[in-house]
Amino acid sequence: MSSAVASRNAIRRLINAAQHTACPCHGCRSGGAHNPIHALQQMRKYATPVESLPVEKEYAFEVAAANLRFGEGVTREVGMDFKNMGARKVAVFTDPNVAKLPPAKMAIASLEAQQDLPFEVYDRVVAEPTEASWRDAIAWARQHDCSHFLAVGGGSVMDTAKAANLFTVYKDADLFDFINAPVGKGLPVTKKLHPLIAVPTTAGTGSETTGTAILDITSMSFKTGIANRALKPMLGIVDTLNTRTASRELHISSGLDVLFHSLESYTAIPYNERTPRPSNPIYRPAYQGSNPVADIFSMWALRTTVKHLPRVAKNGDDYESLSQMMLAASFAGIGFGNAGVHLCHGISYPISGLNKKGPKFQYPGYNVDHPIIPHGVTVALPAPAVFQFTAPSNPDRHREALAVFNGVSTSDPSITSIPDSAVGAHLYEAIARFLDNLNVPRGLKAVGYTKDDIPALVEGTIPQRRVLDLAPGIGDVAGADGREHLTKIIENSMEY
């Protein structure tokens, strides 16, 4: 795209944003008869139906995260950790690629160095796990009767280990008993799970800190998962050596996940605007809405990622930036693990799922035998349009994000001079520029989707209530599912 065309498009978006946010449906935060934020303060749609009114808002939030150990070479301590815990037998989860690399070899050597510490290795974890791959891992774990679990790998490995742990304790449960409603039953986890230690080998998912596990429901062509604090690892071992063998493409995709974990959790609805108030603390969701503790972790991770991810993309041997991205991934995990993500992730799930039957895009740099658009990339593709849409809900927070992307303070005149009505369009441009610098495909069209796929992408997003109900502008009115807004966002994500 020429600079002149890009400039015209940018100006057009600014004008459209100003016109759109001046309409009655995007009135000021505190007023306007048809202001969705005003409506939000009265009632918010959410995943679990309410049979009677009034519905009381949430009044509390909880903070849960794994213990973290951060440092160079700390993977070699994991054997001593299990020995200290009195482990009877350890189930080691990894994937075929990581199994050949130094992180897994270091972890195995650490286990072997301990006397009388038996372990079994499951190295069949699939990148972007599916129902079938989870069922295989669960069957293996049930058969081997291990007392402790170890995950060495990226988010796919850690999430698979969490699921195997859960269904080893719940031996007779079906996979969909715990998958998030409305796709599954979303049952609460009332039993204590086995201790799990997670050793991430990518700076991305933050899964070492959360109780979230994601899979691809291939029969439905979208992703969803299980989100419950009980799945949270007891310890995340964040070893700064463990990402040094990753490809540039993996560094970028993983880093994009960190970026949007941070930004989505910081712009999610406030925890005290979520309804309903749970009847019992066990029903309080892991994804609670933005809150003061999560905000601190999310904003630090956002600033760190914007600074260091481009450096990693330019130089894979920039060990300072690799180390900072590892820390940012864990910080973002603490942030979104307690606040939640929203539209980028909600839309990403059908982008990934439908790719296997539709575009069948094979992303370069990924050594897999099936079509794949890496998770971080699927999250990034709709991001410019998403934050242009959400900006009117809280211009101040989106203005802070804009300042981070532009490398200036929030008091800089280039930021303060922007009217609230134009913040979204400016943030659109800033995010798009950041993604361009990382050579991320320019929208859904660039990975093979066409306008004919938009309805299916919308339909695949609608069931993601766990995240959609944290999205400003989606579900602001009781009974609305956000279909019209989602269609427009996905249309605007086709290309930029």
Side-chain angles (χ1 to χ4, degrees):
M1 181 183 296
S2 70
S3 59
V5 173
S7 178
R8 286 197 298 271
N9 288 346
I11 293 170
R12 189 179 303 115
R13 279 190 285 270
L14 290 168
I15 293 171
N16 290 342
Q19 292 173 340
H20 176 58
T21 51
C23 74
C25 73
H26 280 85
C28 69
R29 191 167 177 81
S30 59
H34 297 89
N35 181 0
I37 306 304
H38 180 67
L40 176 150
Q41 292 169 342
Q42 300 177 50
M43 173 75 73
R44 173 172 294 280
K45 188 181 184 300
Y46 62 99
T48 306
V50 173
E51 301 299 335
S52 60
L53 295 176
V55 180
E56 295 184 311
K57 289 181 184 176
E58 178 63 278
Y59 67 99
F61 68 92
E62 299 181 16
V63 178
N67 295 319
L68 290 178
R69 179 181 300 149
F70 179 88
E72 184 174 307
V74 289
T75 304
R76 64 175 58 95
E77 297 180 354
V78 70
M80 290 182 280
D81 289 319
F82 283 118
K83 194 67 176 179
N84 292 340
M85 288 187 283
R88 173 174 52 81
K89 184 165 70 168
V90 179
V92 181
F93 281 75
T94 190
D95 66 41
N97 292 323
V98 174
K100 303 170 187 175
L101 298 175
K105 291 181 179 179
M106 191 187 306
I108 295 296
S110 179
L111 295 174
E112 290 175 336
Q114 302 300 312
Q115 291 186 350
D116 194 26
L117 182 60
F119 62 90
E120 300 283 350
V121 178
Y122 179 88
D123 61 3
R124 301 196 298 269
V125 173
V126 174
E128 311 285 346
T130 65
E131 296 165 82
S133 73
W134 266 23
R135 291 186 189 280
D136 183 71
I138 290 166
W140 179 93
R142 285 173 170 171
Q143 176 186 352
H144 284 87
D145 185 31
C146 295
S147 64
H148 291 66
F149 284 71
L150 171 64
V152 184
S156 297
V157 171
M158 291 185 278
D159 290 2
T160 299
K162 291 175 186 178
N165 187 4
L166 173 66
F167 289 98
T168 298
V169 172
Y170 286 86
K171 293 184 182 297
D172 298 321
D174 180 71
L175 191 61
F176 283 82
D177 286 347
F178 294 101
I179 284 176
N180 301 313
V183 179
K185 296 179 182 178
L187 297 178
V189 179
T190 57
K191 297 180 182 180
K192 185 176 181 180
L193 305 190
H194 300 300
L196 164 64
I197 295 178
V199 184
T201 59
T202 62
T205 65
S207 189
E208 68 275 8
T209 74
T210 75
T212 301
I214 301 298
L215 80 162
D216 188 346
I217 308 293
T218 52
S219 59
M220 301 179 186
S221 296
F222 59 70
K223 288 184 176 182
T224 186
I226 302 172
N228 193 292
R229 293 182 189 87
L231 273 66
K232 178 174 58 68
M234 67 160 295
L235 175 63
I237 294 183
V238 184
D239 189 335
T240 58
L241 296 177
N242 284 350
T243 62
R244 293 187 181 182
T245 56
S247 67
R248 178 179 183 275
E249 292 81 7
L250 182 55
H251 280 310
I252 291 173
S253 176
S254 300
L256 292 172
D257 203 17
V258 181
L259 185 75
F260 295 112
H261 281 158
S262 307
L263 191 49
E264 288 174 75
S265 58
Y266 192 67
T267 56
I269 65 164
Y271 74 93
N272 55 4
E273 290 183 1
R274 196 188 75 251
T275 57
R277 180 187 302 177
S279 58
N280 185 303
I282 198 171
Y283 298 118
R284 182 167 285 121
Y287 286 7
Q288 303 164 88
S290 59
N291 61 76
V293 174
D295 287 349
I296 293 171
F297 286 92
S298 297
M299 186 51 70
W300 188 91
L302 178 65
R303 291 192 182 99
T304 301
T305 303
V306 168
K307 177 180 178 180
H308 288 282
L309 182 56
R311 288 173 51 176
V312 171
K314 290 179 181 178
N315 178 12
D317 293 328
D318 184 338
Y319 295 148
E320 177 193 1
S321 289
L322 289 175
S323 176
Q324 287 298 294
M325 284 304 302
M326 288 288 282
L327 198 55
S330 294
F331 271 48
I334 295 171
F336 91 85
N338 291 285
V341 289
H342 54 75
L343 287 170
C344 293
H345 276 75
I347 297 170
S348 81
Y349 296 143
I351 293 173
S352 177
L354 287 168
N355 181 54
K356 294 178 175 64
K357 297 178 180 178
K360 297 183 179 179
F361 190 86
Q362 183 74 43
Y363 204 81
Y366 276 73
N367 183 25
V368 295
D369 60 0
H370 56 272
I372 187 170
I373 307 172
H375 174 63
V377 175
T378 65
V379 171
L381 291 170
V386 161
F387 292 103
Q388 182 171 13
F389 172 80
T390 60
S393 71
N394 193 327
D396 288 343
R397 289 204 169 208
H398 289 74
R399 197 185 303 274
E400 286 182 69
L402 176 61
V404 172
F405 279 103
N406 287 355
V408 299
S409 71
T410 53
S411 60
D412 190 279
S414 66
I415 300 297
T416 58
S417 63
I418 300 173
D420 286 357
S421 61
V423 169
H426 279 271
L427 187 54
Y428 180 112
E429 297 299 331
I431 295 172
R433 186 168 58 248
F434 185 85
L435 297 178
D436 272 351
N437 290 337
L438 298 173
N439 296 318
V440 176
R442 295 179 66 91
L444 294 169
K445 187 176 180 181
V447 295
Y449 282 103
T450 71
K451 64 179 181 180
D452 294 336
D453 296 310
I454 292 174
L457 291 170
V458 172
E459 291 307 312
T461 306
I462 292 293
Q464 311 297 333
R465 301 316 314 179
R466 172 180 62 99
V467 294
L468 291 190
D469 290 331
L470 295 173
I474 301 292
D476 287 344
V477 180
D481 61 12
R483 193 178 308 267
E484 179 181 351
H485 293 313
L486 289 169
T487 300
K488 188 67 175 176
I489 292 168
I490 295 172
E491 287 175 351
N492 291 341
S493 300
M494 292 304 296
E495 57 183 324
Y496 58 84

